[in-house]
Amino acid sequence: MVTSLRLDAALYEAAEKLEKRAIGRPRKKGKRLPNLTEVIKDECTVQETVTVNWYGTQREILLASGIWELKLIGNGRTTR
């Protein structure tokens, strides 16, 4: 999936699986991850600038890739 996210989007790790006899509701989200502004500033992030044809004009965009879990609000489905 290719998507654009807000730079301040809240990203989380997947929730940990609970033991069978754990008390309480299972967690919906895991540990908080850095937001995209911090990810882009990190020197370890692989980035590439490309020129694309954007609605009839040439535009340079920054590409960075990563894998995050996307929790869709409302339907409870998780996409990775």
Side-chain angles (χ1 to χ4, degrees):
M1 175 188 326
V2 176
T3 185
S4 61
L5 294 174
R6 291 175 50 127
L7 292 176
D8 62 349
L11 303 172
Y12 295 93
E13 288 182 352
E16 296 178 13
K17 302 281 184 186
L18 292 180
E19 297 176 14
K20 291 183 179 181
R21 296 182 182 228
I23 298 173
R25 179 181 64 82
R27 294 184 180 269
K28 291 188 175 186
K29 49 190 170 183
K31 181 182 165 191
R32 175 82 188 255
L33 298 173
N35 63 22
L36 292 177
T37 304
E38 296 170 15
V39 171
I40 290 173
K41 289 179 185 177
D42 186 7
E43 295 176 2
C44 296
T45 302
V46 178
Q47 300 177 13
E48 180 181 356
T49 303
V50 296
T51 304
V52 295
N53 186 10
W54 196 275
Y55 297 104
T57 62
Q58 296 293 318
R59 186 172 177 182
E60 281 192 3
I61 59 172
L62 176 67
L63 299 179
S65 64
I67 298 175
W68 294 281
E69 188 168 278
L70 172 65
K71 185 74 171 183
L72 302 174
I73 298 172
N75 62 11
R77 292 184 298 171
T78 300
T79 304
R80 184 165 189 214

